[in-house]
Amino acid sequence: MGVLEDKLPDNILFTNVDKFLNWSRKNSLWYMLFATACCGIELMQTGAARYDLDRFGAIFRATPRQSDLMIVAGTITHMMADRVKRLYDQMPSPKYVIAMGSCANTGGPFYKDSYSVLKGVDKVIPVDVYVPGCPPKPEALIEGIMKLQKKIMEEKNLVKK
Amino acid sequence: MEPKKIYGILSEKFGGKIKQFIESTLPPSVLVETGAIADVCRFLKEGDGLDFTSLMCLSGVDLKEQGKMAVVYHLHSMKQKHKITIKVELDRNNPHVQTVEQVWPGANWYEREAYDLLGIVFDGHSDLRRILLPEDWEGHPLRKDYVYPKRYHTWDV
């Protein structure tokens, strides 16, 4: 440790505040228990023992008030879109959104001439990561979460730049 | 029982209110006068040897070229193991028909769906609201002359 050697007690690390905040946020991405279609089944698989999303510090919460991450898993209808927006508004900041699967990305198979399906959840709430697939495999969702973690690590909370 | 025979029983009971027997559909269908549909359905459910206890499907049809709408009832009898289709035709500009909710309670949601997507009004229905689309949606999207809106609430459709 050079000049500081022997001048500090044990268990002290040096980092900057942003990095520390981002590191703690990216490793405690509690996601909301929320699924509207077959992507929800893959989401459950990802959370279950084999793929074990808990490894990333991501555990599900049954209320938006305790969630940091909304994984929009499935088709969103116009009727549901109002509710999605309300749930998003109820989440405390900082909050993130993953659009999982074709329906949440663009409307998917319902894109052409569907009267009831929202053509992509980004028309209603801001989306951080898009995960393609119909439905995406658990590996794909995990990659999406890792992409989001990478994005969180690059955030500037206190330094303006 | 053969559909033809069911048609015979209906004709005997209701006379001129049973208009036509159409063999080309599957199962063969009976065209019924619009005003008589509730009575015919109750008879089909409760009549001797008919026992149509199950309404498999109720659908609305937009027959724009003919200026009509239709409601189609697919019936099945668990006991007698026979099937039949009942049809009624409505005026396209003012589609009204009696509800069959009092005969088969399951018709409730089917009729709400037909109302939501085609705008067919079921007189006597206990709770005729939209079922698939939001309450404040405009128009009925499965009508053939429906124009899709550009925006709904704060987003593009």
Side-chain angles (χ1 to χ4, degrees):
Chain A
M1 279 178 81
V3 285
L4 289 174
E5 204 170 2
D6 300 330
K7 292 193 174 142
L8 292 166
D10 287 347
N11 297 327
I12 294 216
L13 281 174
F14 287 97
T15 181
N16 60 47
V17 181
D18 265 359
K19 224 176 225 173
F20 176 71
L21 279 178
N22 289 339
W23 170 81
S24 56
R25 277 174 189 167
K26 90 167 169 104
N27 286 309
S28 62
L29 278 176
W30 292 5
Y31 60 95
M32 192 162 65
L33 194 59
F34 172 68
T36 48
C38 46
C39 282
I41 306 293
E42 296 297 310
L43 177 59
M44 291 169 215
Q45 289 296 312
T46 318
R50 188 178 179 99
Y51 292 96
D52 201 9
L53 211 49
D54 296 17
R55 292 178 293 152
F56 299 90
I59 53 172
F60 63 80
R61 299 270 90 193
T63 159
R65 310 270 182 200
Q66 299 173 353
S67 309
D68 310 298
L69 169 64
M70 181 192 244
I71 300 176
V72 183
T75 319
I76 302 296
T77 57
H78 292 307
M79 226 171 171
M80 193 68 193
D82 276 326
R83 277 81 170 170
V84 170
K85 186 158 177 11
R86 192 181 305 168
L87 285 168
Y88 179 78
D89 290 342
Q90 283 175 350
M91 285 162 60
S93 286
K95 51 193 172 184
Y96 307 95
V97 176
I98 291 180
M100 179 185 179
S102 296
C103 292
N105 289 343
T106 64
F110 309 104
Y111 181 76
K112 184 103 175 104
D113 283 351
S114 168
Y115 46 81
S116 61
V117 175
L118 184 71
K119 311 296 186 310
V121 75
D122 53 2
K123 289 189 192 296
V124 185
I125 54 175
V127 175
D128 293 283
V129 177
Y130 297 85
V131 180
C134 188
K137 294 177 80 173
E139 290 95 324
L141 180 59
I142 287 175
E143 187 177 356
I145 287 172
M146 287 164 76
K147 280 254 156 39
L148 180 61
Q149 289 183 326
K150 218 169 171 182
K151 188 175 174 178
I152 292 170
M153 274 315 275
E154 284 160 15
E155 268 179 20
K156 301 259 185 283
N157 301 303
L158 302 171
V159 187
K160 274 192 178 149
K161 202 182 173 188
Chain B
M1 204 187 284
E2 290 300 307
K4 190 102 194 171
K5 205 176 164 199
I6 296 169
Y7 169 68
I9 293 173
L10 286 177
S11 293
E12 208 177 294
K13 169 95 180 166
F14 292 98
K17 287 176 181 167
I18 309 298
K19 284 183 181 165
Q20 201 186 339
F21 182 66
I22 306 157
E23 220 154 348
S24 56
T25 61
L26 195 77
S29 35
V30 177
L31 188 65
V32 176
E33 200 180 281
T34 313
I37 186 67
D39 294 336
V40 171
C41 285
R42 184 159 294 283
F43 177 70
L44 281 167
K45 188 184 180 187
E46 292 167 1
D48 266 348
L50 294 168
D51 299 310
F52 283 102
T53 48
S54 165
L55 175 66
M56 290 194 293
C57 188
L58 185 159
S59 15
V61 186
D62 184 6
L63 305 165
K64 187 172 167 237
E65 297 76 19
Q66 301 165 38
K68 286 177 187 164
M69 287 223 179
V71 181
V72 182
Y73 306 78
H74 284 92
L75 309 180
H76 179 226
S77 168
M78 305 268 183
K79 200 172 164 193
Q80 310 288 350
K81 298 193 170 52
H82 55 204
K83 289 178 184 169
I84 199 157
T85 313
I86 305 291
K87 277 185 187 175
V88 290
E89 287 181 344
L90 323 169
D91 175 19
R92 191 165 186 278
N93 298 319
N94 187 24
H96 275 264
V97 66
Q98 288 169 311
T99 178
V100 292
E101 191 199 346
Q102 281 79 28
V103 185
W104 299 286
N108 187 315
W109 281 17
Y110 285 132
E111 290 179 348
R112 279 177 67 187
E113 188 188 8
Y115 165 71
D116 189 357
L117 302 179
L118 286 161
I120 297 169
V121 180
F122 291 88
D123 298 319
H125 192 283
S126 62
D127 184 28
L128 197 64
R129 288 180 291 131
R130 285 183 184 274
I131 189 167
L132 294 168
L133 291 161
E135 297 266 304
D136 55 353
W137 192 265
E138 279 176 24
H140 303 283
L142 286 193
R143 284 193 179 204
K144 286 179 180 166
D145 52 4
Y146 180 71
V147 182
Y148 286 89
K150 290 270 179 292
R151 275 181 85 74
Y152 173 71
H153 283 188
T154 54
W155 58 83
D156 296 333
V157 171

Coordinates of all heavy atoms in Angstrom, one line a residue, chain A residues 53-135:
Chain A
L53 N -31.6 -17.0 -9.7 CA -31.4 -15.6 -9.9 C -30.9 -15.0 -8.6 O -30.3 -13.9 -8.6 CB -32.7 -14.9 -10.3 CG -32.6 -13.7 -11.2 CD1 -31.7 -13.9 -12.3 CD2 -34.0 -13.3 -11.7
D54 N -31.1 -15.7 -7.4 CA -30.6 -15.1 -6.1 C -29.1 -14.9 -6.1 O -28.6 -14.1 -5.4 CB -31.0 -16.1 -5.0 CG -32.5 -16.3 -4.9 OD1 -33.2 -15.9 -5.8 OD2 -32.9 -16.8 -3.8
R55 N -28.4 -15.6 -7.0 CA -27.0 -15.4 -7.1 C -26.6 -14.0 -7.4 O -25.5 -13.5 -7.0 CB -26.4 -16.3 -8.2 CG -26.4 -17.8 -7.9 CD -25.9 -18.5 -9.1 NE -26.7 -18.4 -10.3 CZ -26.3 -18.4 -11.5 NH1 -25.0 -18.6 -11.7 NH2 -27.1 -18.3 -12.5
F56 N -27.5 -13.3 -8.1 CA -27.2 -11.9 -8.5 C -27.7 -10.9 -7.4 O -27.8 -9.7 -7.7 CB -27.8 -11.6 -9.8 CG -27.2 -12.5 -10.9 CD1 -27.8 -13.7 -11.2 CD2 -26.0 -12.1 -11.6 CE1 -27.2 -14.5 -12.2 CE2 -25.5 -13.0 -12.6 CZ -26.1 -14.2 -12.9
G57 N -28.2 -11.4 -6.3 CA -28.8 -10.6 -5.4 C -30.2 -10.2 -5.8 O -30.8 -9.3 -5.2
A58 N -30.7 -10.8 -6.8 CA -32.1 -10.4 -7.3 C -33.1 -11.4 -6.7 O -33.1 -12.6 -7.0 CB -32.1 -10.5 -8.8
I59 N -33.9 -10.9 -5.8 CA -35.0 -11.8 -5.3 C -36.3 -11.1 -5.6 O -36.3 -9.8 -5.7 CB -34.8 -12.0 -3.8 CG1 -34.7 -10.7 -3.0 CG2 -33.6 -12.9 -3.5 CD1 -34.7 -10.9 -1.5
F60 N -37.4 -11.8 -5.6 CA -38.6 -11.2 -6.0 C -39.3 -10.6 -4.8 O -39.2 -11.1 -3.7 CB -39.5 -12.2 -6.7 CG -40.0 -13.4 -6.0 CD1 -41.0 -13.3 -5.0 CD2 -39.4 -14.6 -6.2 CE1 -41.4 -14.4 -4.3 CE2 -39.8 -15.7 -5.4 CZ -40.8 -15.6 -4.5
R61 N -40.0 -9.5 -5.0 CA -40.8 -8.9 -4.0 C -42.3 -8.8 -4.5 O -42.5 -8.6 -5.7 CB -40.4 -7.4 -3.8 CG -39.0 -7.3 -3.3 CD -38.9 -7.3 -1.8 NE -38.8 -8.7 -1.3 CZ -38.9 -9.0 0.0 NH1 -39.3 -8.1 0.9 NH2 -38.8 -10.2 0.4
A62 N -43.2 -9.0 -3.6 CA -44.6 -9.0 -4.1 C -45.3 -7.6 -4.1 O -46.5 -7.5 -4.3 CB -45.4 -10.0 -3.2
T63 N -44.5 -6.6 -3.9 CA -45.1 -5.3 -3.9 C -44.1 -4.3 -4.6 O -42.9 -4.4 -4.5 CB -45.3 -4.8 -2.4 OG1 -45.4 -3.3 -2.4 CG2 -44.2 -5.2 -1.5
P64 N -44.7 -3.4 -5.4 CA -43.8 -2.4 -6.0 C -43.0 -1.5 -5.1 O -42.0 -1.0 -5.4 CB -44.8 -1.6 -6.9 CG -46.1 -1.8 -6.3 CD -46.1 -3.2 -5.7
R65 N -43.5 -1.3 -3.9 CA -42.9 -0.4 -2.9 C -41.5 -0.9 -2.5 O -40.7 -0.1 -2.0 CB -43.8 -0.3 -1.6 CG -45.2 0.0 -1.9 CD -45.5 1.5 -2.0 NE -46.9 1.8 -2.2 CZ -47.4 2.9 -2.7 NH1 -46.5 3.9 -3.0 NH2 -48.6 3.0 -2.9
Q66 N -41.3 -2.2 -2.6 CA -40.0 -2.7 -2.2 C -39.1 -3.1 -3.4 O -38.1 -3.7 -3.2 CB -40.2 -3.9 -1.3 CG -40.9 -3.6 0.0 CD -41.3 -4.8 0.8 OE1 -41.1 -5.9 0.3 NE2 -41.9 -4.6 2.0
S67 N -39.6 -2.8 -4.6 CA -38.8 -3.3 -5.8 C -38.0 -2.2 -6.4 O -38.3 -1.0 -6.4 CB -39.9 -3.7 -6.8 OG -40.8 -4.6 -6.2
D68 N -36.8 -2.7 -6.9 CA -36.0 -1.8 -7.7 C -36.1 -2.0 -9.2 O -35.7 -1.2 -10.0 CB -34.5 -2.1 -7.3 CG -34.3 -2.1 -5.8 OD1 -34.5 -1.0 -5.2 OD2 -33.9 -3.1 -5.3
L69 N -36.6 -3.2 -9.5 CA -36.5 -3.6 -11.0 C -37.9 -4.2 -11.3 O -38.5 -5.0 -10.6 CB -35.5 -4.7 -11.1 CG -35.4 -5.5 -12.5 CD1 -35.1 -4.5 -13.6 CD2 -34.4 -6.6 -12.4
M70 N -38.4 -3.7 -12.5 CA -39.6 -4.3 -13.0 C -39.3 -5.1 -14.2 O -38.8 -4.5 -15.2 CB -40.6 -3.2 -13.3 CG -41.9 -3.7 -13.9 SD -42.9 -2.3 -14.6 CE -44.3 -2.3 -13.5
I71 N -39.5 -6.4 -14.2 CA -39.3 -7.2 -15.4 C -40.7 -7.4 -16.0 O -41.5 -8.1 -15.5 CB -38.7 -8.6 -15.0 CG1 -37.3 -8.4 -14.4 CG2 -38.5 -9.4 -16.3 CD1 -36.7 -9.7 -13.9
V72 N -40.9 -6.7 -17.2 CA -42.2 -6.8 -17.8 C -42.2 -8.0 -18.6 O -41.6 -8.1 -19.7 CB -42.4 -5.5 -18.7 CG1 -43.8 -5.6 -19.3 CG2 -42.3 -4.3 -17.9
A73 N -42.7 -9.1 -18.1 CA -42.7 -10.4 -18.7 C -44.0 -10.7 -19.3 O -44.9 -11.2 -18.6 CB -42.3 -11.5 -17.7
G74 N -44.2 -10.4 -20.6 CA -45.4 -10.8 -21.3 C -46.1 -9.7 -22.0 O -45.7 -8.5 -22.0
T75 N -47.2 -10.1 -22.6 CA -48.1 -9.2 -23.4 C -48.7 -8.1 -22.5 O -49.3 -8.5 -21.5 CB -49.2 -10.0 -24.1 OG1 -48.6 -11.2 -24.6 CG2 -49.7 -9.2 -25.3
I76 N -48.7 -6.9 -22.9 CA -49.4 -5.8 -22.2 C -50.5 -5.3 -23.1 O -50.3 -4.8 -24.2 CB -48.4 -4.7 -21.9 CG1 -47.2 -5.2 -21.0 CG2 -49.1 -3.6 -21.1 CD1 -47.6 -5.7 -19.7
T77 N -51.7 -5.4 -22.6 CA -52.9 -4.9 -23.3 C -53.1 -3.4 -22.9 O -52.5 -3.0 -22.0 CB -54.1 -5.7 -23.0 OG1 -54.3 -5.6 -21.6 CG2 -54.0 -7.1 -23.4
H78 N -53.9 -2.8 -23.7 CA -54.2 -1.3 -23.4 C -54.8 -1.3 -22.0 O -54.6 -0.3 -21.3 CB -55.1 -0.7 -24.4 CG -54.5 -0.6 -25.8 ND1 -53.3 0.0 -25.9 CD2 -54.9 -1.1 -27.0 CE1 -53.0 0.0 -27.2 NE2 -53.9 -0.7 -27.9
M79 N -55.6 -2.3 -21.7 CA -56.2 -2.3 -20.3 C -55.2 -2.4 -19.2 O -55.3 -1.7 -18.2 CB -57.2 -3.5 -20.3 CG -58.5 -3.1 -19.7 SD -59.6 -4.6 -20.0 CE -61.0 -4.1 -19.0
M80 N -54.2 -3.2 -19.5 CA -53.1 -3.5 -18.5 C -52.1 -2.3 -18.5 O -51.5 -2.1 -17.4 CB -52.4 -4.8 -18.8 CG -51.5 -5.3 -17.8 SD -52.4 -5.9 -16.3 CE -51.2 -6.0 -15.1
A81 N -52.0 -1.6 -19.6 CA -50.9 -0.5 -19.7 C -51.1 0.5 -18.6 O -50.1 1.0 -18.0 CB -51.0 0.1 -21.0
D82 N -52.3 0.9 -18.3 CA -52.6 1.9 -17.2 C -52.1 1.3 -15.9 O -51.5 2.1 -15.1 CB -54.1 2.1 -17.1 CG -54.5 3.2 -18.1 OD1 -53.7 4.1 -18.4 OD2 -55.7 3.1 -18.6
R83 N -52.3 0.0 -15.7 CA -51.9 -0.6 -14.4 C -50.3 -0.7 -14.3 O -49.7 -0.5 -13.3 CB -52.5 -2.0 -14.3 CG -53.9 -2.0 -13.7 CD -54.9 -1.8 -14.8 NE -56.2 -2.0 -14.4 CZ -57.3 -1.7 -15.1 NH1 -57.1 -1.0 -16.3 NH2 -58.5 -1.9 -14.7
V84 N -49.7 -1.0 -15.5 CA -48.3 -1.1 -15.5 C -47.7 0.3 -15.1 O -46.7 0.4 -14.3 CB -47.8 -1.5 -16.9 CG1 -46.3 -1.4 -17.0 CG2 -48.2 -2.9 -17.2
K85 N -48.2 1.3 -15.7 CA -47.7 2.7 -15.4 C -47.9 3.0 -13.9 O -47.0 3.5 -13.3 CB -48.4 3.7 -16.3 CG -47.9 5.1 -16.2 CD -48.2 5.9 -17.3 CE -47.7 7.3 -17.2 NZ -46.7 7.6 -16.1
R86 N -49.0 2.6 -13.4 CA -49.3 2.9 -12.0 C -48.3 2.1 -11.1 O -47.8 2.7 -10.1 CB -50.7 2.5 -11.6 CG -51.1 3.1 -10.3 CD -52.5 2.7 -9.9 NE -53.5 3.1 -10.9 CZ -54.8 2.7 -10.9 NH1 -55.2 1.8 -10.0 NH2 -55.6 3.1 -11.8
L87 N -48.1 0.9 -11.4 CA -47.1 0.1 -10.7 C -45.7 0.7 -10.7 O -45.0 0.8 -9.7 CB -47.1 -1.4 -11.2 CG -48.3 -2.2 -10.8 CD1 -48.2 -3.5 -11.6 CD2 -48.2 -2.6 -9.3
Y88 N -45.4 1.1 -11.9 CA -44.0 1.8 -12.1 C -43.9 3.0 -11.3 O -42.9 3.2 -10.6 CB -43.8 2.1 -13.6 CG -42.5 2.7 -13.9 CD1 -41.3 2.0 -13.9 CD2 -42.4 4.1 -14.1 CE1 -40.1 2.6 -14.1 CE2 -41.2 4.7 -14.3 CZ -40.0 4.0 -14.4 OH -38.8 4.6 -14.6
D89 N -45.0 3.8 -11.2 CA -45.0 5.0 -10.5 C -44.9 4.7 -9.0 O -44.4 5.6 -8.2 CB -46.2 5.9 -10.7 CG -46.2 6.4 -12.1 OD1 -45.1 6.5 -12.7 OD2 -47.3 6.8 -12.7
Q90 N -45.3 3.6 -8.5 CA -45.3 3.2 -7.1 C -44.0 2.8 -6.6 O -43.7 2.7 -5.5 CB -46.4 2.2 -6.8 CG -47.8 2.7 -6.8 CD -48.8 1.6 -6.6 OE1 -48.5 0.4 -6.7 NE2 -50.0 2.0 -6.4
M91 N -43.0 2.4 -7.6 CA -41.7 1.9 -7.2 C -40.8 3.1 -6.8 O -40.9 4.2 -7.4 CB -41.1 1.2 -8.4 CG -41.7 -0.2 -8.6 SD -41.3 -0.8 -10.3 CE -39.5 -0.9 -10.2
P92 N -40.0 2.9 -5.7 CA -39.2 4.0 -5.3 C -37.9 4.1 -6.2 O -37.4 3.1 -6.7 CB -38.8 3.6 -3.9 CG -38.9 2.1 -3.8 CD -40.0 1.8 -4.8
S93 N -37.4 5.3 -6.4 CA -36.2 5.5 -7.2 C -35.0 5.0 -6.4 O -35.0 5.1 -5.2 CB -36.0 6.9 -7.6 OG -37.0 7.2 -8.5
P94 N -33.9 4.6 -7.0 CA -33.7 4.4 -8.4 C -34.4 3.1 -8.9 O -34.4 2.1 -8.2 CB -32.2 4.2 -8.5 CG -31.8 3.7 -7.2 CD -32.7 4.3 -6.2
K95 N -35.0 3.2 -10.0 CA -35.8 2.0 -10.5 C -35.4 1.7 -12.0 O -35.1 2.6 -12.7 CB -37.3 2.3 -10.4 CG -37.8 3.6 -11.0 CD -39.2 3.9 -10.5 CE -39.7 5.2 -10.9 NZ -41.0 5.5 -10.4
Y96 N -35.5 0.5 -12.3 CA -35.1 0.0 -13.6 C -36.2 -0.9 -14.2 O -37.0 -1.5 -13.5 CB -33.8 -0.7 -13.5 CG -32.7 0.1 -12.8 CD1 -32.5 -0.1 -11.5 CD2 -32.0 1.0 -13.5 CE1 -31.5 0.6 -10.8 CE2 -31.0 1.8 -12.8 CZ -30.8 1.6 -11.5 OH -29.9 2.3 -10.8
V97 N -36.2 -0.9 -15.6 CA -37.2 -1.8 -16.2 C -36.5 -2.7 -17.3 O -35.6 -2.2 -18.0 CB -38.2 -0.9 -17.0 CG1 -39.2 -1.8 -17.8 CG2 -39.0 -0.1 -16.0
I98 N -36.8 -3.9 -17.2 CA -36.3 -4.8 -18.3 C -37.6 -5.2 -19.1 O -38.5 -5.7 -18.5 CB -35.6 -6.1 -17.7 CG1 -34.3 -5.7 -17.1 CG2 -35.4 -7.1 -18.8 CD1 -33.5 -6.9 -16.6
A99 N -37.6 -5.0 -20.4 CA -38.7 -5.5 -21.2 C -38.3 -6.9 -21.7 O -37.3 -7.1 -22.4 CB -38.9 -4.6 -22.4
M100 N -39.0 -7.9 -21.2 CA -38.6 -9.3 -21.5 C -39.5 -9.9 -22.6 O -40.7 -9.9 -22.4 CB -38.7 -10.1 -20.2 CG -38.4 -11.6 -20.4 SD -38.7 -12.5 -18.9 CE -38.3 -14.1 -19.4
G101 N -38.9 -10.3 -23.7 CA -39.7 -11.0 -24.7 C -40.2 -10.0 -25.8 O -40.3 -8.8 -25.6
S102 N -40.6 -10.6 -26.9 CA -41.1 -9.8 -28.1 C -42.3 -8.9 -27.7 O -42.4 -7.8 -28.2 CB -41.4 -10.8 -29.2 OG -40.2 -11.4 -29.6
C103 N -43.2 -9.5 -27.0 CA -44.4 -8.7 -26.7 C -44.1 -7.4 -26.0 O -44.7 -6.4 -26.3 CB -45.4 -9.5 -25.9 SG -46.1 -10.9 -26.7
A104 N -43.3 -7.5 -25.0 CA -43.0 -6.3 -24.2 C -42.1 -5.4 -25.0 O -42.1 -4.2 -24.8 CB -42.3 -6.7 -22.9
N105 N -41.3 -5.9 -25.9 CA -40.4 -5.1 -26.7 C -41.2 -4.3 -27.8 O -41.0 -3.1 -27.9 CB -39.4 -5.9 -27.5 CG -38.3 -6.5 -26.5 OD1 -38.2 -6.0 -25.4 ND2 -37.6 -7.5 -27.0
T106 N -42.0 -5.0 -28.6 CA -42.6 -4.4 -29.7 C -44.1 -4.7 -29.9 O -44.7 -4.3 -30.9 CB -41.9 -4.8 -31.0 OG1 -42.1 -6.2 -31.2 CG2 -40.5 -4.4 -31.0
G107 N -44.6 -5.6 -29.1 CA -46.0 -6.1 -29.4 C -45.9 -7.5 -30.0 O -46.8 -8.3 -30.0
G108 N -44.7 -7.9 -30.5 CA -44.4 -9.2 -31.0 C -45.4 -9.7 -32.0 O -45.7 -9.0 -33.0
P109 N -46.0 -10.9 -31.8 CA -46.9 -11.5 -32.8 C -48.2 -10.7 -32.9 O -49.0 -10.9 -33.8 CB -47.2 -12.9 -32.2 CG -46.8 -12.8 -30.8 CD -45.8 -11.8 -30.6
F110 N -48.4 -9.8 -32.0 CA -49.7 -9.0 -32.0 C -49.4 -7.6 -32.7 O -50.2 -6.7 -32.6 CB -50.2 -8.8 -30.6 CG -50.3 -10.1 -29.9 CD1 -49.4 -10.4 -28.9 CD2 -51.4 -10.9 -30.2 CE1 -49.6 -11.6 -28.2 CE2 -51.5 -12.1 -29.5 CZ -50.6 -12.5 -28.5
Y111 N -48.2 -7.4 -33.3 CA -47.9 -6.1 -33.8 C -48.8 -5.6 -34.8 O -49.3 -4.5 -34.9 CB -46.4 -6.1 -34.3 CG -46.0 -4.8 -34.8 CD1 -45.7 -3.8 -33.9 CD2 -46.0 -4.5 -36.1 CE1 -45.3 -2.5 -34.3 CE2 -45.7 -3.2 -36.6 CZ -45.3 -2.2 -35.7 OH -45.0 -1.0 -36.1
K112 N -49.2 -6.5 -35.8 CA -50.0 -6.1 -36.9 C -51.5 -6.1 -36.6 O -52.0 -7.2 -36.3 CB -49.6 -7.0 -38.1 CG -50.3 -6.6 -39.4 CD -49.4 -6.0 -40.3 CE -50.1 -5.7 -41.7 NZ -50.5 -4.3 -41.8
D113 N -52.1 -5.0 -36.6 CA -53.6 -4.9 -36.5 C -54.2 -5.5 -35.3 O -55.3 -6.0 -35.4 CB -54.2 -5.6 -37.8 CG -54.1 -4.7 -39.0 OD1 -53.7 -3.5 -38.8 OD2 -54.4 -5.1 -40.1
S114 N -53.5 -5.5 -34.2 CA -54.2 -6.0 -33.0 C -54.9 -4.8 -32.3 O -54.3 -3.7 -32.2 CB -53.2 -6.6 -32.0 OG -53.8 -6.8 -30.7
Y115 N -56.1 -5.0 -31.9 CA -56.9 -3.9 -31.4 C -56.7 -3.8 -29.9 O -57.0 -2.7 -29.3 CB -58.4 -4.1 -31.6 CG -58.9 -5.5 -31.3 CD1 -59.2 -5.9 -30.0 CD2 -59.1 -6.4 -32.3 CE1 -59.6 -7.1 -29.8 CE2 -59.5 -7.7 -32.1 CZ -59.8 -8.1 -30.8 OH -60.2 -9.3 -30.5
S116 N -56.1 -4.8 -29.2 CA -56.1 -4.7 -27.7 C -54.7 -4.7 -27.2 O -54.5 -4.4 -26.0 CB -56.9 -5.8 -27.1 OG -56.3 -7.0 -27.5
V117 N -53.6 -4.9 -28.0 CA -52.3 -5.1 -27.4 C -51.4 -3.8 -27.6 O -51.4 -3.3 -28.7 CB -51.6 -6.3 -28.0 CG1 -50.2 -6.4 -27.5 CG2 -52.3 -7.6 -27.7
L118 N -50.7 -3.5 -26.5 CA -49.8 -2.3 -26.6 C -48.6 -2.7 -27.4 O -48.0 -3.8 -27.1 CB -49.4 -1.9 -25.1 CG -48.6 -0.7 -24.9 CD1 -49.3 0.5 -25.2 CD2 -48.1 -0.7 -23.5
K119 N -48.2 -1.9 -28.3 CA -47.0 -2.2 -29.2 C -45.7 -1.8 -28.6 O -45.0 -0.9 -29.0 CB -47.2 -1.5 -30.6 CG -48.6 -1.7 -31.2 CD -48.9 -3.1 -31.5 CE -50.1 -3.3 -32.3 NZ -51.3 -2.7 -31.8
G120 N -45.4 -2.5 -27.5 CA -44.1 -2.2 -26.8 C -44.4 -1.4 -25.5 O -45.0 -0.4 -25.6
V121 N -43.8 -1.9 -24.4 CA -44.0 -1.3 -23.2 C -43.3 0.1 -23.0 O -43.7 0.9 -22.2 CB -43.7 -2.3 -22.0 CG1 -42.2 -2.4 -21.8 CG2 -44.3 -1.9 -20.7
D122 N -42.4 0.3 -24.0 CA -41.7 1.6 -23.9 C -42.5 2.8 -24.3 O -42.1 3.9 -24.2 CB -40.4 1.6 -24.7 CG -40.6 1.1 -26.1 OD1 -41.8 0.8 -26.5 OD2 -39.6 0.9 -26.9
K123 N -43.7 2.5 -24.8 CA -44.7 3.6 -25.1 C -45.3 4.2 -23.8 O -45.8 5.2 -23.8 CB -45.8 3.1 -26.0 CG -45.4 2.8 -27.4 CD -46.6 2.5 -28.3 CE -46.2 2.0 -29.6 NZ -45.4 2.9 -30.4
V124 N -45.1 3.4 -22.7 CA -45.8 3.8 -21.4 C -44.7 4.1 -20.4 O -44.9 5.1 -19.6 CB -46.7 2.7 -20.9 CG1 -47.5 3.1 -19.7 CG2 -47.7 2.3 -22.0
I125 N -43.7 3.3 -20.2 CA -42.7 3.5 -19.2 C -41.3 3.4 -19.9 O -41.1 2.8 -20.9 CB -42.8 2.5 -18.0 CG1 -42.8 1.1 -18.6 CG2 -44.0 2.7 -17.2 CD1 -42.8 0.0 -17.5
P126 N -40.3 4.1 -19.3 CA -38.9 4.0 -19.9 C -38.3 2.6 -19.6 O -38.4 2.1 -18.5 CB -38.2 5.1 -19.1 CG -38.9 5.3 -17.9 CD -40.3 5.0 -18.2
V127 N -37.7 2.1 -20.6 CA -37.1 0.8 -20.6 C -35.6 0.9 -20.6 O -35.0 1.6 -21.4 CB -37.6 -0.1 -21.7 CG1 -36.9 -1.5 -21.7 CG2 -39.1 -0.3 -21.6
D128 N -34.9 0.1 -19.7 CA -33.4 0.1 -19.7 C -32.8 -1.0 -20.6 O -31.9 -0.7 -21.3 CB -32.9 -0.1 -18.3 CG -33.3 1.1 -17.4 OD1 -32.6 2.1 -17.5 OD2 -34.2 1.0 -16.6
V129 N -33.3 -2.2 -20.5 CA -32.8 -3.3 -21.2 C -33.9 -4.1 -22.0 O -34.9 -4.3 -21.3 CB -32.0 -4.3 -20.3 CG1 -31.5 -5.5 -21.1 CG2 -30.8 -3.6 -19.6
Y130 N -33.7 -4.3 -23.2 CA -34.6 -5.2 -24.0 C -34.1 -6.6 -24.1 O -32.9 -6.7 -24.6 CB -34.8 -4.6 -25.4 CG -35.5 -3.2 -25.4 CD1 -34.7 -2.1 -25.3 CD2 -36.8 -3.0 -25.5 CE1 -35.2 -0.8 -25.3 CE2 -37.4 -1.8 -25.6 CZ -36.6 -0.7 -25.4 OH -37.2 0.6 -25.4
V131 N -34.8 -7.6 -23.8 CA -34.4 -8.9 -23.9 C -35.2 -9.6 -25.0 O -36.4 -9.7 -24.9 CB -34.5 -9.7 -22.6 CG1 -34.1 -11.2 -22.8 CG2 -33.8 -9.1 -21.5
P132 N -34.6 -9.9 -26.2 CA -35.4 -10.5 -27.3 C -35.7 -12.0 -27.0 O -35.0 -12.6 -26.2 CB -34.5 -10.3 -28.5 CG -33.1 -10.3 -28.0 CD -33.2 -9.7 -26.6
G133 N -36.7 -12.5 -27.7 CA -37.0 -13.9 -27.6 C -38.5 -14.1 -27.4 O -39.2 -13.2 -27.0
C134 N -39.0 -15.3 -27.7 CA -40.4 -15.5 -27.6 C -40.7 -16.9 -27.1 O -41.1 -17.8 -27.9 CB -41.1 -15.3 -28.9 SG -42.9 -15.3 -28.9
P135 N -40.7 -17.2 -25.8 CA -40.1 -16.3 -24.8 C -38.6 -16.5 -24.7 O -38.0 -17.5 -25.2 CB -40.7 -16.8 -23.5 CG -41.1 -18.2 -23.7 CD -41.3 -18.4 -25.2

